[in-house]
Amino acid sequence: MRAEMPRWPWAIPALCAAAVLGGILLTLSEPEADTPYLLLDTVVGLTYPAVGALIVTRRPGNPVGWLLCAGGAGLALQALAGGYAWNGGAHGWPGAEAAAWATN
């Protein structure tokens, strides 16, 4: 009999997708948005956590799955911080400079 696989790791790619979507929306809401960085952040921020969660749910002890989740989450947060920095810098939002610093 097979042990039941954990389902909670699928929250990681879901949160990463929300962060990437937020970063895309924030960046594209400005007329002269700097979008080239978004391509890599979007691709890696969506695919790495999904593949990582797939590995983690099948083999929880495999460190590769956790590394893929962490790496993808980092780029998803970078997309969100980049969008916040770009849009927040134009509108004077608090923490926009810190977000720009973290993104770079």
Side-chain angles (χ1 to χ4, degrees):
M1 195 151 134
R2 242 177 116 171
E4 188 174 327
M5 293 183 277
R7 292 192 177 125
W8 70 265
W10 288 107
I12 297 169
L15 291 171
C16 289
V20 167
L21 180 63
I24 290 171
L25 292 175
L26 283 170
T27 301
L28 296 181
S29 67
E30 281 299 308
E32 295 181 18
D34 181 24
T35 56
Y37 80 93
L38 271 179
L39 181 61
L40 176 67
D41 290 349
T42 300
V43 170
V44 176
L46 294 176
T47 58
Y48 277 31
V51 173
L54 183 65
I55 294 171
V56 166
T57 55
R58 305 272 189 290
R59 307 258 187 233
N62 190 334
V64 172
W66 293 110
L67 288 171
L68 286 170
C69 286
L75 283 176
L77 289 175
Q78 180 173 316
L80 181 61
Y84 185 85
W86 187 260
N87 205 332
H91 299 290
W93 293 351
E97 288 183 22
W101 181 84
T103 301
N104 288 326

